[in-house]
Every structure is written in structure tokens, then in C-alpha cells.
Amino acid sequence: MMTHFPFRQETQTEIQAGGSAEVLTWSVLTAETALLSMLCSGRTLLFSVSLLILLGCAVAAGFMSGRNRVFSQINPLRQSYWGFILSAAGILLIMLSRQAFTSEELLWLGVVISGVGIGSVYPVVSLCGIGNRHPRLRRRVRIILSGLVTLSLVLFIRYKCGGVSGFSLAAAISVDIALLGAILSKITLDDLPCNG
């Protein structure tokens, strides 16, 4: 006779980490999209569309690399940690490109690095759907609310301060969210019995 055993402690921990990573991933993506939209003001439509398409392609590339067999041996939390770190580094490059004004290469490079980083967080995000622990409606509401709060915060800071300093402060919020994801992933990873 088969019995249903509850999830092991480490699996429960990873599922909870997946829920947190999902919220933070969408918050970073929302904030970065808002930042790129701010950078596109006064630019051509082609430039704006190209920048957003590049971000989408970078996220897709990170997503596909996260599901690759090579990375399947790596603990999803470790992959999430490095994905959030990469995302923060990319957003810092975007911020530097805004301060330099003439450095388009930094902007494109920052978009690619941050997109690949945030896309590679997928393996740990996918864990939050295991065992129907979080119904879809609740997950969607949580994602939408976190995105709206992040967007409101970024826009408020950007337009309250204005200029380059306002953009830098708004970008710093995005970096902080990405680093928070990295810290939470690292703490959860260190708390696992097998230590990832």
C-alpha cells in the first residue's frame, strides 16, 4: 500500500524560495523595463523597440540556458544566486551608460547581461509550482502586485528627483531587488542539509 509522504524539508524550503524568487524576478523585470523606457524618451522608435526586443531575447537565452542539461546538475538555488548577481551587474552597466551619455555599448551590454541573468533564475522559480502549493490565481495576483509596487516606486523616485540622479536612484532600487534575490537564494542554499 502506497502512502503519501509530505515533502522533505529541503524540498519545502526550495519551494518557498521559488515563490520568493518568482516575485523578485518579476519585480526586477518590471523595474528594468521601466528604466529602459525612461532611457528611450527622446530617442527614435526603432531604438526603443530594439532595446526592448534585446531584453526579451536575453531573458529567453537565460531561460533556455537555465534548462540546459549542463546546468541541470547545479542546485537551482545556486543558479538563482548567480542569475540575480548577473542581473544586478547588468543594471549597474545600464546606470553607468546613462551617466556617460555617449556609451551605447555599455547600455547594450548591460541589457544582455541583466536579461540573461534574470532569465537563468527560471529553475528555482519553477519549483514554486510543485505540489500545487500556490494556486495559479494567488501566484498571478502576487506577481501583479509586486510588479505594480516596484513600478510605482521606480517611477516615483525617478520623477521626484529628476535628471541623471533620479535615474540612478531608480536603477539602484532595481539593483537592490536583484541583490535581495541573490541574498535570499544564498541564505536558503546554506540552510539546506546537503548545502546545495
Side-chain angles (χ1 to χ4, degrees):
M1 181 176 175
M2 293 183 68
T3 56
H4 175 71
F5 292 98
F7 291 108
R8 291 174 294 129
Q9 183 59 41
E10 64 185 272
T11 306
Q12 284 284 11
T13 303
E14 288 177 353
I15 291 169
Q16 291 167 356
S20 300
E22 184 176 49
V23 168
L24 293 172
T25 298
W26 285 106
S27 295
V28 170
L29 266 177
T30 302
E32 186 172 355
T33 304
L35 290 173
L36 293 179
S37 299
M38 292 172 200
L39 279 176
C40 291
S41 61
R43 304 285 187 105
T44 63
L45 180 63
L46 179 62
F47 177 84
S48 308
V49 171
S50 300
L51 206 56
L52 295 176
I53 288 175
L54 180 63
L55 177 62
C57 291
V59 170
F63 171 82
M64 288 186 292
S65 70
R67 298 185 66 187
N68 194 307
R69 280 185 201 169
V70 175
F71 295 105
S72 64
Q73 304 301 321
I74 300 173
N75 186 300
L77 289 167
R78 190 176 306 283
Q79 193 169 336
S80 172
Y81 169 76
W82 287 110
F84 279 121
I85 291 288
L86 268 179
S87 179
I91 295 170
L92 280 173
L93 287 177
I94 293 170
M95 183 170 59
L96 288 173
S97 75
R98 175 69 172 98
Q99 291 176 340
F101 286 106
T102 56
S103 185
E104 295 289 328
E105 295 82 9
L106 273 181
L107 174 62
W108 298 105
L109 182 63
V111 170
V112 169
I113 290 173
S114 63
V116 168
I118 208 65
S120 65
V121 175
Y122 167 78
V124 78
V125 168
S126 66
L127 291 174
C128 69
I130 293 174
N132 293 324
R133 301 287 295 172
H134 303 287
R136 281 187 185 178
L137 180 60
R138 196 167 113 199
R139 286 175 62 190
R140 286 178 182 164
V141 168
R142 192 172 58 185
I143 288 169
I144 291 169
L145 286 178
S146 64
L148 287 174
V149 168
T150 305
L151 181 62
S152 303
L153 184 61
V154 166
L155 292 177
F156 175 76
I157 290 173
R158 168 67 177 94
Y159 291 109
K160 185 73 175 173
C161 299
V164 178
S165 62
F167 181 86
S168 298
L169 287 172
I173 293 293
S174 308
V175 171
D176 289 343
I177 295 170
L179 290 177
L180 176 62
I183 290 168
L184 288 176
S185 297
K186 181 65 173 164
I187 290 171
T188 308
L189 182 65
D190 289 344
D191 283 346
L192 290 178
C194 61
N195 199 22

